């Protein structure tokens, strides 16, 4: 009889020990949580699908601007004849086509030890999902001639119908303000309009990558950021400040 009671006690003790060790296992396997999307990305249009994947923010866009353009087909509701201020405007032969962009940019951008140059084609994404291009035309030639094909919002499509901005996207700065967040480059650092604390930023105030570190409305503790300026190189200078992610199209 005594032996039976002893066995029952051993069994009960064993069960409790197993339960305790299982509990411990559960705790140790639930520590890796998915990082949440920083609030700053809420400034993107809802046409851009945004998620966090590991150490990257993934932004998917069809590249269609949220404003009108003479580069839509004349039957399209977004068609608008040129009504900008450039007397030498000359429409290029391309028209805006739906794209399939996937931008992967670092969630926590960091300065790179060697600064890679920006590519021709998309080097970043603006808050309306339109890609940002650098200061060069095909063959790394200056934009001199291309500028005359920029529409009234400062964009134009290239030969596969990819609409893009090389300079200040006027629809964004007209609607959000010239100090607004414009978007992000592939290295995860933000791009702002030409105005800061009420005055226009000049190239002389920026480093060779076309940015500086200061507080912004979205990053009150300060962050490296690029500025769009009126003069070349407009958005980026001598390459990425940080390590770029990737873009597929
Ligand atoms: Zn272009
Ligand atoms: Zn600044």
């Amino acid at each position: 009889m005594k032996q039976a009671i002893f066995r029952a006690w051993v069994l009960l003790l064993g069960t409790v020990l197993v339960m305790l060790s299982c509990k411990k296992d559960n705790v140790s396997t639930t520590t890796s949580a998915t990082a949440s999307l920083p609030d700053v990305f809420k400034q993107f249009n809802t046409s851009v699908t945004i998620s966090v994947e590991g150490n990257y923010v993934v932004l998917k866009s069809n590249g269609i601007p949220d404003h009108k353009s003479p580069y839509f087909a004349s039957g399209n509701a977004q068609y608008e004849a040129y009504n900008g201020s450039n007397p030498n405007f000359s429409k290029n032969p391309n028209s805006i086509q739906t794209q399939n962009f996937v931008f992967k940019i670092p969630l926590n951008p960091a300065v790179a030890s060697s600064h890679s140059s920006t590519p021709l084609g998309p080097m970043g994404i603006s808050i309306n999902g339109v890609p940002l291009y650098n200061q060069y035309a095909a063959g790394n030639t200056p934009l001199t001639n291309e500028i005359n094909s920029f529409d009234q919002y400062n964009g134009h499509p290239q030969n596969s119908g990819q609409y893009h901005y090389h300079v200040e996207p006027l629809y964004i700065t007209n609607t959000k303000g010239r100090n607004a967040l414009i978007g992000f480059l592939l290295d995860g650092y933000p791009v702002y309009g030409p105005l800061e604390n009420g005055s226009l930023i000049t190239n002389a105030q920026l480093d060779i990558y076309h940015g500086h570190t200061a507080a912004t409305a979205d990053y009150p503790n300060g962050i490296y950021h690029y500025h769009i300026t009126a003069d070349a190189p407009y958005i980026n200078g001598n390459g990425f400040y940080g390590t770029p992610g990737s873009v597929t199209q």
Side-chain angles (χ1 to χ4, degrees):
M1 187 63 187
K2 251 185 179 172
Q3 217 171 21
I5 291 171
F6 180 69
R7 270 202 203 124
W9 271 111
V10 168
L11 258 172
L12 187 66
L13 194 66
T15 310
V16 168
L17 278 174
V18 167
M19 280 170 73
L20 280 174
S21 64
C22 283
K23 224 175 178 178
K24 209 176 157 193
D25 275 358
N26 284 341
V27 169
S28 63
T29 52
T30 53
T31 47
S32 63
T34 308
S36 60
L37 188 70
D39 278 352
V40 65
F41 288 94
K42 289 178 182 161
Q43 295 181 53
F44 276 78
N45 283 18
T46 51
S47 63
V48 184
T49 307
I50 311 178
S51 59
V52 174
E53 287 180 20
N55 294 321
Y56 290 90
V57 177
V58 179
L59 304 104
K60 296 178 181 168
S61 169
N62 64 10
I64 302 290
D66 58 343
H67 55 74
K68 296 181 174 181
S69 170
Y71 288 104
F72 284 105
S74 56
N76 189 307
Q78 281 183 272
Y79 173 82
E80 180 180 75
Y82 183 75
N83 58 13
S85 57
N86 178 4
N88 300 316
F89 173 72
S90 169
K91 203 167 161 249
N92 77 22
N94 309 318
S95 59
I96 298 172
Q97 307 290 333
T98 300
Q99 308 291 319
N100 196 13
F101 295 117
V102 181
F103 290 85
K104 281 184 92 168
I105 68 172
L107 178 62
N108 301 301
V111 59
S113 51
S114 74
H115 300 272
S116 52
S117 48
T118 55
L120 289 176
M123 66 164 178
I125 179 171
S126 48
I127 57 169
N128 64 356
V130 168
L132 298 169
Y133 274 36
N134 71 13
Q135 69 273 39
Y136 298 115
N140 286 315
T141 55
L143 288 173
T144 322
N145 295 320
E146 288 214 4
I147 286 174
N148 287 332
S149 72
F150 293 168
D151 67 16
Q152 52 270 46
Y153 300 109
N154 267 348
H156 69 171
Q158 42 75 297
N159 55 10
S160 63
Q162 208 174 89
Y163 187 80
H164 58 276
Y165 307 118
H166 297 266
V167 300
E168 181 177 347
L170 293 176
Y171 187 78
I172 296 178
T173 54
N174 287 346
T175 54
K176 306 279 184 186
R178 297 190 82 198
N179 58 349
L181 175 79
I182 302 299
F184 286 84
L185 293 196
L186 283 172
D187 62 2
Y189 285 109
V191 180
Y192 283 90
L195 209 59
E196 189 167 74
N197 300 323
S199 39
L200 281 173
I201 295 279
T202 64
N203 288 349
Q205 293 168 271
L206 304 173
D207 66 18
I208 60 168
Y209 312 104
H210 220 242
H212 67 172
T213 300
T216 74
D218 310 298
Y219 301 92
N221 297 326
I223 189 173
Y224 185 87
H225 56 277
Y226 302 100
H227 275 285
I228 294 182
T229 60
D231 302 309
Y234 313 112
I235 302 177
N236 179 271
N238 271 15
F240 291 109
Y241 181 73
T243 304
S246 63
V247 55
T248 58
Q249 45 192 306

